[in-house]
Amino acid sequence: MINLNNNPAGSVNTKSDISIVGDGSSAGGVYGKVKVVGDSSFNDNIICDQFKCTGTSVIYGSLESTDIKITGTLSLKERAASNEGMDGIHPSSLHAKGDQMKVVGELHVSGDCQAEKFKLNGRLTITGMLSAEQMTLKIMGPSEVREMGGSVISVKSGRGKLLDGLFTGNKSVLKTNLIEGDEIEIENTVAEVVRGDRIKIGPGCHIGTVEYRSSLQIHPLSEVLVQSNRSLD
């Protein structure tokens, strides 16, 4: 069931709210609040003030919103697959963008993801860049991001009764080519390069190269092949 609520008349710039309860689909567009309870699909880009999903949402396009809250699964994908690159991941112009973005469950973006504050408790796959001033990832299940950048970055193992059993048997590891930030604290992460000012490598990490400026800590249960103090350059 889809409800489209028009705000009282008076301004030509007034945005409509949309609510999907159960199974439903809708075209893209510009909205005030978008609320999903159940399973939904959107057939084009969504621009809104607030996007809230409890259940599963698939957007065949990009999502831009001031406030994004997901309890369940959000996927941004292209309607038709384009040619894949040499590494098996095809380039995409799709993106998720928001000031506040909180995900409890799964996030899958065929493109980039950008937020001021980004929090996740679950798993994610992002074929492009994940960037946020403050990034907190609590990983449950195999996850992969091409590149990560921000001011404060934290990657740890996620826990919580809501997600118990969803990712049973799947190792909670984040794989990425690059992590770059000011303050970085990671665990259970496989990365080619980690670059920042203050870096703390927790347990379960396999890192190719770490480039740091002020400080570096490495847990004895992690492996770093190359260390480089850039303050000496």
Side-chain angles (χ1 to χ4, degrees):
M1 181 176 67
I2 301 176
N3 292 324
L4 186 63
N5 299 319
N6 292 315
N7 293 319
S11 171
V12 295
N13 295 322
T14 298
K15 302 173 186 175
S16 298
D17 298 336
I18 184 171
S19 177
I20 298 178
V21 179
D23 296 339
S25 63
S26 176
V30 179
Y31 300 99
K33 296 180 180 180
V34 177
K35 182 178 180 180
V36 175
V37 180
D39 296 332
S40 69
S41 64
F42 297 88
N43 296 316
D44 207 337
N45 301 328
I46 296 289
I47 300 174
C48 60
D49 298 326
Q50 182 184 73
F51 186 93
K52 185 175 182 180
C53 171
T54 303
T56 301
S57 288
V58 177
I59 300 175
Y60 293 99
S62 297
L63 171 63
E64 295 185 10
S65 179
T66 301
D67 186 22
I68 300 172
K69 294 181 180 178
I70 307 299
T71 304
T73 301
L74 172 65
S75 300
L76 272 60
K77 59 178 67 176
E78 295 175 326
R79 173 63 69 179
S82 60
N83 293 329
E84 294 189 346
M86 295 299 293
D87 58 359
I89 301 177
H90 63 267
S92 174
S93 61
L94 297 185
H95 61 270
K97 185 177 182 180
D99 291 342
Q100 308 282 337
M101 193 166 185
K102 183 177 181 180
V103 179
V104 180
E106 299 189 28
L107 175 66
H108 307 285
V109 180
S110 297
D112 297 330
C113 182
Q114 179 182 351
E116 290 295 316
K117 292 184 178 180
F118 182 90
K119 293 184 178 181
L120 175 133
N121 193 344
R123 63 182 295 258
L124 76 167
T125 55
I126 297 176
T127 64
M129 177 80 174
L130 172 61
S131 58
E133 283 298 307
Q134 295 183 342
M135 186 187 309
T136 303
L137 307 183
K138 296 182 179 180
I139 302 297
M140 298 186 69
S143 298
E144 188 168 357
V145 179
R146 178 174 289 222
E147 295 182 353
M148 300 166 58
S151 181
V152 179
I153 299 174
S154 173
V155 180
K156 297 185 177 181
S157 296
R159 298 174 181 84
K161 292 183 179 180
L162 181 62
L163 297 178
D164 284 350
L166 289 180
F167 309 115
T168 302
N170 294 325
K171 194 171 182 180
S172 298
V173 173
L174 172 67
K175 295 182 179 181
T176 183
N177 294 338
L178 171 67
I179 300 177
E180 185 168 12
D182 296 324
E183 297 184 16
I184 300 172
E185 182 175 358
I186 59 176
E187 63 182 39
N188 293 337
T189 298
V190 177
E192 293 181 10
V193 177
V194 176
R195 180 183 299 128
D197 186 24
R198 294 174 294 277
I199 300 176
K200 183 177 180 180
I201 308 295
C205 294
H206 298 274
I207 312 298
T209 300
V210 172
E211 300 176 2
Y212 69 99
R213 289 184 294 274
S214 297
S215 64
L216 172 63
Q217 299 178 45
I218 302 175
H219 194 279
L221 296 181
S222 286
E223 179 184 36
V224 175
L225 299 182
V226 178
Q227 302 176 31
S228 175
N229 188 342
R230 301 311 298 266
S231 67
L232 301 177
D233 294 348

